[in-house]
Amino acid sequence: MHETIFSFRNVRFRFPDDEQLTLTDLSFDIHRGERVVISGPSGCGKSTLVYLLNRLYPFNCDGIISGSLQLFGKDAEEYAPGEINHRIATVFQDPDSQFCMPTVEEELAFTLENLHVPREMMKQKITEVLALTGLSALRHEVIQSLSGGMKQRVAAACALIMEPEVLLLDEPISHLDPVTAKEFILWLDRLQHELDLTIVGVEHRLDLWDSFFSREIQLDRSGSIIGDKLATAHPPVLLPERASTMVPETVLKVNGMAVKAHGKELLSGLSFTANRGEIMIVAGPNGSGKSSLLKALCGIYALDAGSIQSPGIGFVPQSPEYLFLEKTVVRELAFSGIASSAQLNDLMERLRLKEIENAHPFSVSHGQKRRVATGAMLADRRTVLLMDEPTSGQDAAALLELHRLISERADEGVTFLIVTHDMEFAESLADSVLLIKDGKMTGKYPAQDVWNHGELLAEHHLLPPKGAGRLAESFA
């Protein structure tokens, strides 16, 4: 048996302001070279468990922990703050949360400085890790000018430049287009063999990983282990097909849109319309301009050319924290004052937010943050709603309810523009697909004309959806 890297015995954890435990009586070992995935419903404590593994918790949150937790055969509390981080590297769910410097090269250099790497060695190490991660062309780019997917790859490069023994991954492919996600997994597979890395990942979409993980630790809603078994391929969540109810009334008109930011041309010459009740999927490779399009439509980015006509636009961003204004979840949803108390209660129930209604929106899980932001925008009753990767961090039940809510609001006449790399979700909802590549619009197509067009999908780093179907009975 290989060396034991992590050893948990009856570990319990809760945050100081919570009465209930976040993690309950966890007991397991992880050995050197293993590939372990942690699964479970949104908000069950998966990310919290990762933060115990890398020693970010309990000290950074004043958390209360009991039981025995050992790292590399040594009690976790015996490590000084930061001592373990060169051996255990983490790629967080939200890459923005771990960047400190403006450019890719400076961020990598900052990581090496913290490890006391001599300056004369830095250039070579940075060159090597950029080549390894396929990011050489982005060496001097401003990180905040990159797409969410590209940021995720930069975060991975920052983790790997530390030459760690363990790599912790918190939903690392959630912002990657399907082809790039597959390439990332293949690259990680090769890297793990070459370096004998121990890999522990948090993931909802195990169907995308095929046979990469050898073991799965399953948590339930109470943060307890309900399964520790050999990992098996998970089928994608099957969502019900939607019958379109859009009407031929244009509510969004974009004409000749062009956008520049940070000295770069992000979008050029985009022109399209959207009808009342239409669900439009915006798709394309990482860095193609999808998020930039949504930011331009809602006014975050100023137009350099062109025009936008719409009666009212709401936006659920990729990083939902940017939307939050209130100190509790329930007040966040009630902020607009438009929805009635009955409507708010219905949204809270359906988005599974009642259990966290008095929690601060910043303190909940990433998947829950997305549902809070979605609920706030749905309560705001905008004519057009923009959503950037709304399925990220959502378990099967949450995905189904999101599907139902979008379908119902579209039936009521709300128009949706949804950026997503989840082709199964896209196929089950879309009336149309807007394809973007290199900041330019390839075209807007009827959805059914896209799914079986292999060449068009490949050009935009997309994979054919596995097929919409009737939902499994357990989620009905």
Side-chain angles (χ1 to χ4, degrees), residues 333-346:
L333 265 71
F335 179 78
S336 69
I338 296 174
S340 67
S341 58
Q343 290 169 331
L344 280 175
N345 190 64
D346 180 62

Side-chain angles (χ1 to χ4, degrees), residues 21 31 52 89 91 99 145 186 197 204 251 255 281 373 398 402 458:
L21 293 169
H31 301 98
L52 289 179
V91 178
F99 296 137
S145 72
L186 289 172
L197 282 170
H204 282 291
V251 294
N255 185 36
I281 297 297
L402 178 64

Side-chain angles (χ1 to χ4, degrees), residues 139-251:
R139 184 171 190 141
H140 303 292
E141 292 292 324
V142 174
I143 293 174
Q144 292 307 319
S145 72
L146 301 177
S147 71
M150 289 299 181
K151 289 177 181 177
Q152 197 80 314
R153 293 173 68 179
V154 173
C158 291
L160 292 166
I161 204 169
M162 294 189 286
E163 300 179 2
E165 298 170 59
V166 180
L167 189 59
L168 305 179
L169 304 167
D170 198 351
E171 295 202 54
I173 62 173
S174 60
H175 298 310
L176 301 182
D177 64 62
V179 169
T180 302
K182 287 291 185 184
E183 291 173 349
F184 179 86
I185 293 166
L186 289 172
W187 165 73
L188 198 61
D189 177 73
R190 185 182 74 250
L191 197 71
Q192 195 271 341
H193 282 298
E194 291 175 359
L195 304 178
D196 193 29
L197 282 170
T198 302
I199 295 179
V200 182
V202 167
E203 188 55 76
H204 282 291
R205 292 294 309 274
L206 280 172
D207 58 295
L208 299 175
W209 288 82
D210 296 325
S211 59
F212 178 88
F213 291 107
S214 58
R215 178 179 166 201
E216 180 180 359
I217 296 175
Q218 296 174 307
L219 303 183
D220 64 11
R221 292 196 184 284
S222 69
S224 300
I225 293 177
I226 57 170
D228 188 344
K229 60 181 184 177
L230 293 175
T232 56
H234 286 216
V237 177
L238 293 179
L239 297 163
E241 296 182 45
R242 169 182 171 269
S244 176
T245 56
M246 71 171 176
V247 297
E249 177 190 345
T250 300
V251 294

